[in-house]
Amino acid sequence: MFSKKNIFVMILILVGLVFSVAVYAQDKVQKKYTEKLPYTPVITPNGSTMPWTRDKDGAKVFQITVGACQHEVASGMIINAWCYNGQTPGPTIEVVEGDLLRIYVKNELPEGTAVHWHGVFLPSGMDGVSGLTQKSIEPGQTFKYEFRMKQHGTFMYHSHGDEMVQMGLGTMGFLISHPKNPVDPKIDRDFALFLNEWFVEPGTKTPNPSIMTDFNIFTFNSRAFPGTAPLVVKSGERVRIRIGNVAQESHPIHLHGYSFKVVATDGGQIPASAQWPETTVLVAPGQTRDIEFVADVAGDWALHCHRRHHPMNAMGHDAANVLGVNQDDVKDKVRDLVPGYMAMGEHGMDEMNYMKMKGPENTLAMMGGEGQFGPVGMGGMFTVLMVRDHLKDYDQPGDYPHPKGTVADVVVKKATN
Ligand SMILES: [Cu+2]
């Protein structure tokens, strides 16, 4: 029925077909791996996004090493921290709802640990609580976590074993899941800020994790102003700021110049009918809050914690209140006895500015940062939302060019009675 020649041609066609299908499939796989990201990537100011690879079964694979690192809080202050992949907060993990996650955690700490995926719906045995849901990851061991991401939103990962020490030294990071089907309105600039507070005895390098209430360093993404990167936005862009907190205190985060809506928590999206306008959002330990607004007014807008002590750096809380007391005679004498002694301000705290006083080694001035009009007089949990009408890129755009006549200025040079 078939000649030898026909059979040979058919075999050739069949081989060709199989080869084409294989090439097509490979192409598709390649395309999938190199596809353009189906979301606006999150920006972690002063931080980074965790790289990943794909396993053959399509799982997104992340590698985390937890261990000691040196971390710069701001220029002039480096601390001994415990970090994920050498950073605190750890690199932001970014996935899409529906992704299969395979996360390897290697422990290089001197004690056991586990990683909890905060807010994520997953099998109990993947929840990362030492002793309760898994064996502790002992020093030198590597564990594998694997779960499918069922939700979208802002979640966190952090130590769940000796939390006081491990989280107190910095083991925390964002786990952000983008919706599978894009949600309107589209976000143009998507930022993530982790809140934390620390106690570092002035003149030392290692945060004291046993401190319960009296902290002296307050940070966005483990950086204190003036070490915090600004959030740069072009006028008219829709902005989301994701704020996470696994620290000891709650922080009311306030944005100048705008009102925003809290659109989501780590529990899920908030229906539009349940959102109200705000200028400050309280983020308690164990919470995330996503805020959104359209940045339609150019300027330099402060973004900071509104607790009075939190936009401020290292201070001695035990000092006596000498506001209004002339200390000229005593402060040099005290400094002879206590090197680096910083007297509480006679006229307020502005004189503690880094311009005017040098503190102990490895200790930030209480306030720092230089604006176009002079010292900013802030520290700690403080950064700037820089909104500009024209931007070439998202690098620090420099001083805001205030339109003529829109800056408050002196009208009486000196009061006369
Ligand atoms: Cu605060």
Side-chain angles (χ1 to χ4, degrees):
M1 195 172 149
F2 295 109
S3 70
K4 274 186 184 170
K5 191 182 166 192
N6 279 349
I7 290 171
F8 180 69
V9 169
M10 280 170 74
I11 289 172
L12 263 184
I13 290 170
L14 209 63
V15 168
L17 262 174
V18 168
F19 183 72
S20 305
V21 168
V23 167
Y24 173 76
Q26 183 63 27
D27 241 31
K28 218 176 161 191
V29 168
Q30 286 297 341
K31 224 179 237 169
K32 206 171 167 189
Y33 287 4
T34 55
E35 68 204 342
K36 196 172 166 287
L37 294 174
Y39 51 81
T40 304
V42 168
I43 302 144
T44 312
N46 298 112
S48 69
T49 302
M50 195 178 292
W52 51 272
T53 56
R54 231 189 243 280
D55 268 351
K56 280 182 185 156
D57 61 356
K60 278 186 179 170
V61 180
F62 296 88
Q63 309 279 351
I64 299 179
T65 300
V66 53
C69 77
Q70 299 269 301
H71 171 75
E72 187 187 70
V73 175
S75 178
M77 184 176 191
I78 290 173
I79 57 169
N80 296 315
W82 282 3
C83 298
Y84 289 127
N85 294 356
Q87 297 170 37
T88 173
T92 296
I93 297 175
E94 241 180 317
V95 301
V96 177
E97 180 184 1
D99 278 346
L100 178 62
L101 275 60
R102 191 165 292 141
I103 306 170
Y104 294 92
V105 178
K106 183 180 181 191
N107 183 11
E108 290 186 351
L109 292 176
E111 64 171 358
T113 190
V115 181
H116 170 55
W117 316 98
H118 178 113
V120 178
F121 301 153
L122 37 57
S124 177
M126 291 292 161
D127 197 41
V129 182
S130 280
L132 180 68
T133 66
Q134 66 166 85
K135 288 178 184 162
S136 174
I137 311 172
E138 296 302 331
Q141 291 184 334
T142 298
F143 269 45
K144 181 178 79 173
Y145 292 91
E146 187 166 318
F147 51 90
R148 194 170 287 282
M149 198 71 204
K150 296 175 183 166
Q151 312 135 269
H152 63 85
T154 304
F155 309 102
M156 304 182 279
Y157 65 101
H158 62 79
S159 279
H160 224 306
D162 192 9
E163 294 188 22
M164 183 189 86
V165 173
Q166 295 187 12
M167 287 204 279
L169 291 178
T171 54
M172 58 193 70
F174 278 107
L175 167 50
I176 287 165
S177 175
H178 294 277
K180 192 169 188 176
N181 301 309
V183 177
D184 281 336
K186 187 179 169 290
I187 299 296
D188 302 300
R189 299 285 281 162
D190 195 340
F191 298 98
L193 291 177
F194 230 111
L195 313 179
N196 205 0
E197 69 271 331
W198 319 68
F199 180 81
V200 185
E201 187 72 48
T204 71
K205 277 187 82 174
T206 305
N208 182 348
S210 65
I211 293 296
M212 292 174 74
T213 54
D214 214 356
F215 300 96
N216 64 354
I217 298 287
F218 303 90
T219 53
F220 283 144
N221 289 344
S222 300
R223 299 274 291 181
F225 186 77
T228 50
L231 278 48
V232 182
V233 170
K234 195 172 173 188
S235 296
E237 287 186 318
R238 188 170 188 85
V239 180
R240 178 190 288 139
I241 304 175
R242 305 166 188 259
I243 307 164
N245 185 3
V246 291
Q248 183 80 350
E249 299 198 3
S250 59
H251 299 281
I253 304 301
H254 176 57
L255 175 63
H256 291 211
Y258 293 97
S259 80
F260 54 75
K261 287 193 172 155
V262 183
V263 301
T265 77
D266 41 340
Q269 301 294 304
I270 299 173
S273 60
Q275 299 169 7
W276 65 84
E278 272 291 7
T279 66
T280 300
V281 58
L282 184 68
V283 189
Q287 292 187 328
T288 73
R289 293 287 180 269
D290 293 3
I291 66 169
E292 285 182 18
F293 58 96
V294 175
D296 51 7
V297 184
D300 283 341
W301 304 108
L303 174 69
H304 63 97
C305 179
H306 219 294
R307 288 194 198 276
R308 294 197 299 261
H309 280 203
H310 293 189
M312 191 166 271
N313 294 325
M315 77 184 88
H317 291 106
D318 298 331
N321 182 1
V322 289
L323 201 59
V325 178
N326 187 325
Q327 302 167 78
D328 287 349
D329 289 347
V330 293
K331 60 188 173 194
D332 287 339
K333 288 178 190 163
V334 176
R335 221 170 281 150
D336 285 344
L337 298 168
V338 186
Y341 169 78
M342 295 168 81
M344 182 136 169
E346 173 189 344
H347 307 290
M349 285 300 182
D350 195 45
E351 66 193 62
M352 312 306 277
N353 195 286
Y354 75 109
M355 302 285 286
K356 303 171 187 168
M357 185 168 280
K358 173 93 182 78
E361 276 298 294
N362 201 47
T363 302
L364 299 176
M366 287 174 69
M367 311 166 195
E370 193 68 17
Q372 59 176 308
F373 301 106
V376 178
M378 306 292 280
M381 266 186 192
F382 182 94
T383 189
V384 183
L385 173 76
M386 295 183 163
V387 183
R388 297 290 186 271
D389 291 333
H390 306 285
L391 279 180
K392 280 190 197 134
D393 51 39
Y394 289 109
D395 290 345
Q396 219 274 30
D399 293 340
Y400 175 62
H402 293 272
K404 201 163 176 254
T406 64
V407 177
D409 207 351
V410 63
V411 289
V412 177
K413 288 209 167 144
K414 188 152 190 177
T416 48
N417 292 322

